[in-house]
Amino acid sequence: MEALSRKRIDEEKVSLEPDEFMDPETLKLEILSKYPPKVARKKAKQIIVNRKETEEKYPEIQANVRTIPGIISQRGCCYAGCKGVVMGPTRDIINLTHGPIGCGFYSWLTRRNQTDPSTTPDGHNFMNYCFSTDMEEREIIFGGEKKLRAAIQEAYDIFKPKMISVFATCPVGLIGDDVHAVTREMEEKLGITIFGFSCEGYKGVSQSAGHHVANNGLFQHVIGLDNTVKDGDYRVNLLGEYNIGGDAFEIERVLNKCGITIISTFSGNSSVDFFANSHTADLNLIMCHRSINYVAEMMEKKYGIPWFKINFLSAGGMSRSLRKIAEYYGEQKLIDRVEEVIAEEMPAVKKAQAEVRPRLEGKLAMMFVGGSRAHHYQEMFREMGMIPFCAGYEFAHRDDYEGRQVLPNLKVDADSRNIQELEVEKDPERYNPRISAEEFEALERNNIKLRDYEGMMTDMPSGTIVIDDISQYETESLLKTYKPAVFCAGIKEKYTVQKHGIPMKQLHSYDNGGPYAAYRGAINFYHEIDRMVNSKVWDHIKAPWEKSPELAARYTYE
């Protein structure tokens, strides 16, 4: 159990020497001085210098509030979170966007989710297609429900899918098209599951609202449709893993070696068949806390499946998570097998760390990525000897930063009330608590914390900077002041960062790299960052006359 202790994390953190950096509080004041007073007061609550206030309390950060109009930030919309993030990686649901073609094209194009159709009997894979009703001016004026019915019918006639989901975009909500009435009508007509999402882009404050809407839809319409119990001694669901660059394939490889069976992944390499059967698993493992915790909580209430937070990014995170799973089950054969797998995988990891560390030791990294990635990747950088100095999310809530202990004190605002909260009760026939109250307490005593997430700030050293919903101006201030060796974010920030002569790694879509999860993924990431940081191309960002300016002249008569 020592591997799971908070002491281990504290020992691995790289201490920061104040003399080497501008004082973060000074930088914060400089940034805020450029904003109007009212804006500065709000942004001051979103820029935090991470210092423990008490033994268990970190500074309070303001999160999940609307971006100030006029400020350019990294956020997406509710529709992007619902269709693009959670539902998009599901290969055999036809995900039909009811709205202008740009919305469907954007959510189809922007992520590199991979899938393996051979794992389901029919081999359906609709991820190659962009399905949209292509609403135009005529539908905006006279309504688009007729066109939606026709689109559903056409999709069914051509592809014969098992399931169709419909996503409402901003114009649909504004003109009042009822996607739910249309999907109920077409479901009765066609005899397959068809359901809609009220995920208009303007709902909520960010794509986080769309995650919640997608969780609700999956829980209401898909989870629990198939009661078949699959073979496997240790059956788990992997929640919040989207198989970007093939991450889920690598995670599954390692879990299979350990004898752990994945029933369903939400939603990387996913199928409606897996979702329908997911309520039969023993345990839910959460990777991305923000995008999928709603499903985990609802499945525990209805079916009795416990959940806990894990991290399969970084070699250390992978090893601790495997040990945590083994300790949860408490069977010696699994505990022994996990140790054997770790022993088999780690030599290659140690070799790669030794290769890159001399070239990366002590260099700064910054990461502003959604989900739990800004947290998980910090350990990956520490394994290379780099210093994760600044981090933040674009759609997080306070519990993603400070831990779930803040949840009882959070106030429900108007934006949160905009998202439906499902009333979930125990299933009278299928509720089956996987562990007793006594077993739960025993696990807690052994530091196997269920239903808990300690947040990102508890895992960052004192003096580091945490920024929620970072703006373009704040990004450039960090770049100019600290000149990090690498900056991690998304496509919207990529080229701005590179123009500063700083490598920029997309951790939303991995550019063209991956996988980065588990052991082989960590090795890939070490070498990728080494290549990026030490590439000579960054020396050519500035023209020669900018590096060494010279003044030369001659008389005109010469």
Side-chain angles (χ1 to χ4, degrees), residues 174-219:
L174 293 173
I175 66 175
D177 276 3
D178 189 343
V179 298
H180 303 287
V182 174
T183 53
R184 284 193 298 268
E185 175 189 330
M186 295 305 293
E187 180 177 61
E188 185 175 347
K189 177 183 178 182
L190 300 177
I192 64 170
T193 302
I194 305 175
F195 56 99
F197 293 98
S198 294
C199 57
E200 295 86 355
Y202 52 75
K203 274 192 174 179
V205 305
S206 68
Q207 57 264 55
S208 172
H211 303 152
H212 197 164
V213 171
N215 282 219
N216 289 348
L218 283 171
F219 189 77

Side-chain angles (χ1 to χ4, degrees), residues 125-317:
N125 181 14
F126 306 129
M127 289 172 62
N128 300 323
Y129 301 94
C130 174
F131 298 94
S132 173
T133 54
D134 186 19
M135 288 182 71
E136 296 179 339
E137 289 88 344
R138 181 181 181 86
E139 288 78 46
I140 299 298
I141 296 170
F142 297 107
E145 292 183 8
K146 180 179 179 181
K147 196 170 190 179
L148 176 58
R149 290 187 190 93
I152 293 173
Q153 183 69 57
E154 184 178 0
Y156 176 78
D157 291 342
I158 296 172
F159 295 100
K160 295 296 188 294
K162 291 174 283 194
M163 197 171 290
I164 298 175
S165 59
V166 177
F167 302 84
T169 56
C170 292
V172 173
L174 293 173
I175 66 175
D177 276 3
D178 189 343
V179 298
H180 303 287
V182 174
T183 53
R184 284 193 298 268
E185 175 189 330
M186 295 305 293
E187 180 177 61
E188 185 175 347
K189 177 183 178 182
L190 300 177
I192 64 170
T193 302
I194 305 175
F195 56 99
F197 293 98
S198 294
C199 57
E200 295 86 355
Y202 52 75
K203 274 192 174 179
V205 305
S206 68
Q207 57 264 55
S208 172
H211 303 152
H212 197 164
V213 171
N215 282 219
N216 289 348
L218 283 171
F219 189 77
Q220 287 177 298
H221 299 286
V222 189
I223 294 170
L225 294 181
D226 177 12
N227 293 321
T228 305
V229 178
K230 297 179 181 177
D231 294 334
D233 294 330
Y234 315 105
R235 294 169 297 116
V236 303
N237 293 320
L238 180 56
L239 277 58
E241 165 47 53
Y242 301 106
N243 202 25
I244 300 169
D247 277 353
F249 296 149
E250 180 58 18
I251 293 170
E252 188 168 359
R253 180 189 71 83
V254 176
L255 292 182
N256 285 341
K257 281 182 69 175
C258 296
I260 300 168
T261 302
I262 297 180
I263 301 299
S264 180
T265 300
F266 288 71
S267 332
N269 191 33
S270 59
S271 161
V272 295
D273 295 336
F274 301 157
F275 290 155
N277 189 244
S278 60
H279 65 293
T280 65
D282 307 318
L283 176 67
N284 280 328
L285 309 174
I286 290 188
M287 277 275 285
C288 175
H289 175 259
R290 184 71 272 136
S291 67
I292 211 76
N293 70 84
Y294 314 99
V295 155
E297 292 174 359
M298 290 188 290
M299 289 179 76
E300 182 166 21
K301 289 178 183 177
K302 185 171 182 176
Y303 301 111
I305 306 173
W307 66 269
F308 57 65
K309 183 77 175 65
I310 47 86
N311 172 22
F312 288 149
L313 291 166
S314 79

Side-chain angles (χ1 to χ4, degrees), residues 59-88:
E60 180 179 318
I61 189 168
Q62 181 171 268
N64 194 39
V65 294
R66 286 190 175 270
T67 301
I68 299 164
I71 288 182
I72 301 173
S73 78
Q74 301 178 351
R75 282 177 166 172
C77 67
C78 178
Y79 161 78
C82 183
K83 196 275 183 185
V85 176
V86 178
M87 297 301 298

Side-chain angles (χ1 to χ4, degrees), residues 23-138:
D23 177 38
E25 294 286 2
T26 303
L27 176 66
K28 178 178 176 177
L29 292 175
E30 286 187 6
I31 291 173
L32 296 177
S33 69
K34 304 298 183 182
Y35 288 125
K38 186 176 179 180
V39 176
R41 285 195 295 273
K42 179 177 180 181
K43 293 298 294 183
K45 300 174 184 177
Q46 293 179 286
I47 304 174
I48 299 297
V49 179
N50 194 41
R51 293 194 174 100
K52 254 189 176 181
E53 295 179 348
T54 65
E55 183 61 29
E56 297 182 354
K57 188 176 185 302
Y58 283 79
E60 180 179 318
I61 189 168
Q62 181 171 268
N64 194 39
V65 294
R66 286 190 175 270
T67 301
I68 299 164
I71 288 182
I72 301 173
S73 78
Q74 301 178 351
R75 282 177 166 172
C77 67
C78 178
Y79 161 78
C82 183
K83 196 275 183 185
V85 176
V86 178
M87 297 301 298
T90 310
R91 59 175 170 266
D92 52 1
I93 297 181
I94 284 186
N95 290 315
L96 174 61
T97 297
H98 186 35
I101 192 62
C103 296
F105 185 72
Y106 165 77
S107 60
W108 170 70
L109 177 73
T110 52
R111 305 200 88 187
R112 295 180 57 249
N113 310 107
Q114 297 185 14
T115 197
D116 179 9
S118 68
T119 55
T120 43
D122 52 33
H124 282 176
N125 181 14
F126 306 129
M127 289 172 62
N128 300 323
Y129 301 94
C130 174
F131 298 94
S132 173
T133 54
D134 186 19
M135 288 182 71
E136 296 179 339
E137 289 88 344
R138 181 181 181 86

